[in-house]
């Protein structure tokens, strides 16, 4: 089937949706979690639209309205913040002073309840953001695995911290303590996984949290609200909804937020950080913009380079911060690369998220198709060509991928992070051009090198080691495995996330020390044996 025919038959009628993937809509969600209780929001609601459209009997298509979610205001958001502040109680609250083993038990209880909601969350991931069934299941399962790995890592960290150290006559125990109240916000492309990679470490280290779901992917948090409520003490986790300018701005301006965990644009993060009146008190954990380049060298396994580049550029329609956003291809291998890439593109199946083998799905962000078309038209007007048949075709919320070449520095697509299925290819003759691009870029998350000349690869690794957070050789850019550090330079990130690093970024090392004297050692022994302190302890968590 041609791409044009595929687009014309893309959106189904209601009757063609498999029974197991249907939703009972509209979903009017008014509940939010505040201070250990589910409250009902009686104020205005925001409409929640699906990227999925339905075709009616007369042939016209209509975007599905999934339901609505609370459009909370500053007053409601500040009430949630105050609940978190009370629960933390300047570090004296029950949660921050709880023994590590007890906090772990609370998180394990939440995980058990979360697993019971797998089907509901997966279905909403498909309908709210257009994520394929396979990828939605993978996101849910990976999030659960991340929680398990976080628990295991904390156990190991606590075991290492349970011993005393003797240095220059000073006896001490170094343990990690929470930072305070955390504001956690995730992105719409991974509204569960990316959010929980900050939310869970923040909680398990003893911080209290205000959590605002992503702008798209709000309804999928609803099945987890009871699990949050029943698994944590009142005020430890509070869930709010609404527009960021009405809620988050007020939270930051209050000065009561101690940790700001945010995944979005560097401009958005900068604007919010500026609102905080105590900038030196605020710790920021940020995942921001990225324009990750893929660099194809003349000596290369083209089949592998194309396969990795297609996946890297188009997984979840290119809506990933780790996606390959621009490809530099040496001119000697340019044409065979484009030919193979175009052929591989033609094999990708467009369709609805629940369809078997689907690779291309509708886009959830309003106005995204028009934005991508603007980038496309700008590139075409300045000399680029669409290489693949049907590239750039559009229907409602769907944009068919376009492979563009030659792309040059005077085009918007060369500089802007498209965050969608446009693949700009820049031909180059001299590697100095590519190196200069990376050095001058405002972003420094990752890049990919494709080649098999050890001398050339080695030199490029050295050239880029101080420019990006991760260099991928003959493979696409990606976040995982979750035990590897995930960070970035320049405007791409602040702080490092991984199972190991996240526990540290949401806590601070605290030292209890005394002179190495018998009376002091006897005092410490009595404190530990009598379990007079939750912090000073030699407990070993199995």
């Amino acid at each position: 089937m041609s791409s044009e025919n595929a687009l014309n038959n893309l959106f189904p009628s209601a009757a063609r949706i498999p029974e197991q993937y249907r939703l009972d809509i509209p979903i009017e969600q008014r509940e939010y979690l505040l201070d250990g209780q589910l409250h009902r929001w009686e104020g205005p609601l925001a409409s929640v639209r699906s990227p999925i459209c339905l075709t009616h009997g007369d042939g016209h298509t209509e975007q599905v309205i999934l339901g609505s979610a609370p459009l909370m205001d500053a007053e409601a958001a500040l009430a949630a913040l105050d609940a978190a502040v009370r629960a933390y109680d300047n570090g004296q609250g029950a949660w921050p002073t709880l023994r590590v083993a007890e906090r772990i038990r609370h998180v394990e209880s939440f995980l058990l309840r979360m697993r019971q909601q797998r089907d509901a969350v997966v279905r909403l991931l498909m309908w709210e953001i257009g994520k394929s069934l396979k990828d939605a299941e993978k996101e849910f399962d990976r999030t659960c695995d991340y929680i398990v790995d976080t628990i295991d890592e904390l156990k190991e960290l606590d075991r290492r911290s349970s011993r005393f150290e003797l240095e220059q006559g000073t006896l001490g125990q170094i343990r990690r303590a929470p930072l305070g109240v955390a504001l956690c916000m995730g992105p719409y492309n991974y509204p569960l996984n990316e959010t929980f990679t900050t939310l869970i470490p923040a909680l398990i280290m003893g911080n209290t949290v205000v959590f605002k779901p992503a702008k798209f992917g709000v309804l999928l948090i609803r099945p987890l609200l009871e699990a949050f409520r029943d698994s944590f003490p009142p005020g430890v986790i509070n869930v709010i909804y609404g527009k960021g300018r009405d809620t988050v701005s007020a939270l930051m301006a209050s000065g009561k937020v101690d940790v700001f965990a945010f995944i979005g644009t560097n401009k958005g993060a900068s604007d919010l950080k500026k609102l905080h009146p105590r900038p030196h008190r605020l710790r920021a954990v940020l995942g921001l913009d990225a324009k990750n380049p893929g660099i194809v060298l003349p000596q290369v396994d083209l089949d592998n380079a194309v396969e990795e580049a297609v996946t890297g550029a188009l997984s979840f329609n290119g809506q990933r911060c780790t996606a390959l956003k621009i490809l530099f291809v040496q001119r000697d291998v340019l044409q065979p690369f484009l030919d193979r890439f175009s052929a591989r593109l033609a094999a990708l199946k467009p369709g609805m998220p629940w369809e078997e083998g689907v690779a291309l799905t509708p886009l959830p962000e309003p106005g995204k198709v028009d934005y991508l078309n603007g980038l496309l038209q700008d590139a075409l007007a300045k000399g680029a060509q669409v290489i693949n048949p049907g590239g750039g075709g559009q229907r409602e919320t769907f944009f068919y991928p376009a492979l563009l070449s030659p792309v040059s520095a005077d085009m918007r697509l060369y500089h802007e992070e498209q965050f969608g299925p446009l693949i700009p290819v820049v031909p180059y003759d001299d590697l100095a051009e590519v190196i200069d691009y990376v050095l001058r870029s405002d972003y420094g998350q990752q890049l990919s090198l494709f080649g098999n000349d050890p001398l050339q690869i080695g030199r490029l690794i050295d050239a880029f080691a101080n420019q990006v957070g991760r260099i991928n050789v003959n493979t696409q850019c990606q976040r995982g495995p979750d035990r590897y550090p995930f960070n970035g330079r320049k405007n791409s990130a602040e702080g490092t996330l991984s199972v190991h690093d996240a526990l540290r970024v949401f806590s601070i090392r605290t030292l209890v020390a005394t002179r190495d004297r018998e009376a002091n050692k006897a005092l410490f022994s009595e404190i530990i044996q009598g379990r007079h302190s939750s912090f000073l302890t030699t407990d070993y968590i199995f």
Side-chain angles (χ1 to χ4, degrees), residues 232-306:
F232 297 98
V236 170
I237 171 71
N238 306 274
V239 183
I240 64 170
Y241 298 86
K243 294 179 180 178
R245 65 173 177 267
D246 297 328
T247 55
V248 179
S249 296
L251 300 183
M252 293 296 283
S254 73
K256 298 177 183 179
V257 173
D258 300 299
V259 193
F260 177 42
F262 174 81
I263 300 174
T265 66
N266 74 88
K267 183 182 183 305
S270 297
D271 290 345
L272 288 170
K273 285 178 68 176
K274 289 174 185 175
L275 295 174
H276 201 288
R278 303 172 183 174
H280 300 298
R281 175 177 173 173
L282 181 70
R283 176 174 293 189
V285 187
L286 309 175
L288 307 172
D289 316 70
K291 184 76 172 174
N292 297 331
I295 302 165
V296 180
L297 302 169
Q299 295 185 33
V300 63
D301 179 344
L302 266 182
D303 289 335
N304 176 73
V306 168

Side-chain angles (χ1 to χ4, degrees), residues 137-155:
E137 291 174 336
K138 181 179 178 182
E139 178 169 352
F140 187 93
D141 294 340
R142 182 182 176 188
T143 304
C144 293
D145 291 343
Y146 184 92
I147 297 174
V148 172
D149 290 344
T150 297
I151 291 169
D152 290 343
E153 182 67 26
L154 179 55
K155 288 179 179 179

Side-chain angles (χ1 to χ4, degrees), residues 25 91 148 192 345 418 431 467 469 510:
I25 57 176
V148 172
L192 191 72
L345 267 179
Q418 66 272 37
L431 261 175
Q467 303 301 318
T510 300

Side-chain angles (χ1 to χ4, degrees), residues 6-7 9-12 16 51-52 130-132 317 348-363 398 400:
L7 261 60
N9 296 284
L10 182 73
F11 293 111
R16 285 174 48 204
I52 296 168
K131 185 158 286 192
S132 71
N317 307 301
L348 297 179
K349 178 183 177 180
M352 295 296 99
W354 50 79
E355 293 178 19
E356 183 71 27
V358 70
L360 306 169
T361 56
L363 308 177
F398 187 87
Y400 191 77

Side-chain angles (χ1 to χ4, degrees), residues 468-482:
V468 297
R470 174 168 169 164
I471 299 168
N472 303 277
V473 179
N474 290 323
T475 187
Q476 62 179 293
C477 297
Q478 56 194 303
R479 172 167 179 155
D482 285 323

Side-chain angles (χ1 to χ4, degrees), residues 205-223:
M205 292 309 291
N207 304 280
T208 59
V209 173
V210 177
F211 163 40
K212 182 180 178 300
K215 57 183 178 180
F216 315 119
V218 292
L219 295 178
L220 63 88
I221 298 300
R222 177 60 187 88

